[in-house]
Amino acid sequence: MRIFRNSTAEYLLIISARYGQLPYRALRFLSLPYETAKDAFQKLCRAEYLEVVKAPGHKSFFLTDSGYEAYLQTMMKDDDLLDWEDFPDKPEFTRNVQKAIRLSRINEAQMFFFFLGLAPYRTSLEVKREMEQKAARSSDNLKYSRFAGVTWRGQQASLVYHFGNGNQRLNANGERNAAALFSDYKHPCGKFILTETEKGIVDVLGYSLWALNKSSRELRHMQLNYHITYEDNAILLPLTKDAGDFVWAFRHPHWPQTIQRLGEDARPEEGIFLSTLDGTWMDVLVYLSEAYTTDMPVTFAVWDIQLPILWELTRRGLLPDGWRVVSYQAGDFCRGIPPF
């Protein structure tokens, strides 16, 4: 197969070489018409430059040896001054379904933060490799951790988790050890929880609401899926192109002040006011857990990417009807236009 310069096929080879094995759905992150990307993808598969791993509920792809060679040759044509040593090694891949799910999620999270959110990022694989180089057994503390990577905003580190299409069970000790890696930073280590769809976020919220209504004694001997707590009020994000704008805005030095100002602008003169503009949902869970029977109106301040979460909460009967909303677009922050 001939790879033309600046073609969609070339673009897909570059993405595959840069990020490694990815879920098929990651093609929607690209700045290309989806049908165009799909056609080029199928041609690369027929040429055996890309290979697909399929299972119920999973489809990922990786760069083959011949695909990697085609990538190198294409890049050398673009600039004759480049040398073979200027290119990264062929990325890791696996045909094992369970390992493919894990690896493709790690790489998709990196693509989301680095490619869409323009945020500094290291994958959990890179972190573990660095630890192994520093001390032979230092990475043992991470063996049970399921974090996908880490990103930063100034001195604040945030662990990133990719839950796929629903909630996930985590090993508590492993996650504490993962957070302890970044204990030398000046601020507490936060968390980002990524899901493929907004319904996955509602799964986390619904389970968190159930756990919030249980006493510590009731939960003591139970193996729990991930649930939001006061101490671990993670940021929840769907894996969409628009959510990449949230990450970009989150890194802005004026983020805290802007969030506070937008919340104040949206606050009604009376009634209950709840804001999820900082990406967290603990205040909403507390409101729902107290089973309000008052007729006082409820107003939300949200990003437009969070609106489907409110609709799904209402559809499932977790959120009462009749709420009001003031929504903003995170992309406005990125473009530097009002209200920012």
Side-chain angles (χ1 to χ4, degrees):
M1 177 181 175
R2 185 177 179 183
I3 306 298
F4 293 96
R5 187 173 183 177
N6 298 325
S7 66
T8 301
E10 180 192 49
Y11 190 31
L12 290 179
L13 287 180
I14 294 172
I15 291 295
S16 300
R18 170 64 181 84
Y19 294 103
Q21 189 161 353
L22 287 167
Y24 181 77
R25 63 181 303 279
L27 293 180
R28 299 184 182 275
F29 289 166
L30 307 181
S31 300
L32 296 167
Y34 177 66
E35 291 299 323
T36 302
K38 185 173 69 173
D39 290 344
F41 177 86
Q42 292 172 346
K43 291 178 181 178
L44 290 171
C45 289
R46 287 195 294 268
E48 298 184 346
Y49 289 170
L50 295 177
E51 185 173 329
V52 175
V53 177
K54 294 179 69 174
H58 173 77
K59 182 179 181 181
S60 64
F61 63 92
F62 61 84
L63 197 63
T64 63
D65 290 340
S66 58
Y68 182 64
E69 183 178 349
Y71 157 75
L72 293 177
Q73 291 176 351
T74 303
M75 294 298 98
M76 291 291 285
K77 290 178 183 178
D78 287 347
D79 194 336
D80 294 334
L81 298 178
L82 293 176
D83 191 7
W84 295 103
E85 297 180 355
D86 295 327
F87 298 100
D89 295 333
K90 182 177 178 295
E92 298 179 30
F93 71 93
T94 179
R95 294 182 176 88
N96 178 283
V97 173
Q98 292 305 315
K99 292 181 179 179
I101 292 172
R102 172 75 174 147
L103 179 60
S104 62
R105 286 181 181 177
I106 289 174
N107 293 334
E108 185 181 24
Q110 180 190 30
M111 188 176 181
F112 174 75
F113 275 87
F114 191 78
F115 183 73
L116 294 180
L118 304 179
Y121 194 85
R122 281 194 298 161
T123 69
S124 57
L125 300 177
E126 292 171 333
V127 171
K128 292 178 182 181
R129 270 196 294 275
E130 290 176 9
M131 292 183 67
E132 289 168 355
Q133 292 172 357
K134 292 178 181 178
R137 296 183 57 80
S138 62
S139 64
D140 286 358
N141 288 336
L142 295 181
K143 64 192 303 184
Y144 297 114
S145 174
R146 306 309 291 171
F147 84 101
V150 61
T151 187
W152 290 269
R153 183 182 70 193
Q155 290 295 319
Q156 181 177 351
S158 294
L159 295 176
V160 178
Y161 295 77
H162 189 331
F163 281 4
N165 59 3
N167 206 339
Q168 184 171 316
R169 183 167 296 173
L170 302 176
N171 180 283
N173 290 333
E175 306 318 322
R176 279 193 290 268
N177 289 332
L181 273 177
F182 306 94
S183 59
D184 57 337
Y185 284 80
K186 294 181 180 179
H187 299 281
C189 187
K191 282 184 181 178
F192 277 90
I193 304 295
L194 308 178
T195 63
E196 293 176 1
T197 65
E198 292 84 358
K199 290 184 178 180
I201 290 177
V202 178
D203 288 343
V204 174
L205 292 174
Y207 189 85
S208 300
L209 182 60
W210 170 84
L212 193 62
N213 285 324
K214 301 292 183 181
S215 68
S216 58
R217 183 176 180 179
E218 290 177 292
L219 298 175
R220 186 176 304 164
H221 302 296
M222 298 180 64
Q223 290 186 335
L224 300 173
N225 291 338
Y226 174 77
H227 56 285
I228 301 171
T229 64
Y230 290 100
E231 297 77 18
D232 185 18
N233 192 8
I235 293 174
L236 306 180
L237 281 181
L239 280 160
T240 64
K241 286 174 106 176
D242 291 338
D245 291 337
F246 175 95
V247 175
W248 194 100
F250 177 80
R251 293 190 57 242
H252 196 281
H254 294 158
W255 169 261
Q257 301 93 316
T258 302
I259 292 301
Q260 182 178 0
R261 179 166 59 82
L262 290 179
E264 291 302 319
D265 291 345
R267 185 183 296 275
E269 294 183 359
E270 60 179 8
I272 299 168
F273 177 69
L274 299 167
S275 173
T276 59
L277 294 175
D278 63 354
T280 64
W281 290 78
M282 193 66 210
D283 289 344
V284 176
L285 290 177
V286 172
Y287 160 71
L288 297 177
S289 70
E290 295 180 0
Y292 284 98
T293 57
T294 175
D295 293 332
M296 294 181 65
V298 180
T299 302
F300 289 92
V302 302
W303 300 109
D304 55 355
I305 59 173
Q306 297 171 327
L307 279 172
I309 301 173
L310 295 182
W311 296 330
E312 182 63 16
L313 284 170
T314 306
R315 189 190 70 81
R316 296 190 189 185
L318 299 175
L319 179 64
D321 290 319
W323 45 269
R324 306 170 182 175
V325 67
V326 178
S327 65
Y328 301 96
Q329 292 185 344
D332 291 345
F333 197 118
C334 305
R335 291 188 289 270
I337 62 176
F340 302 95

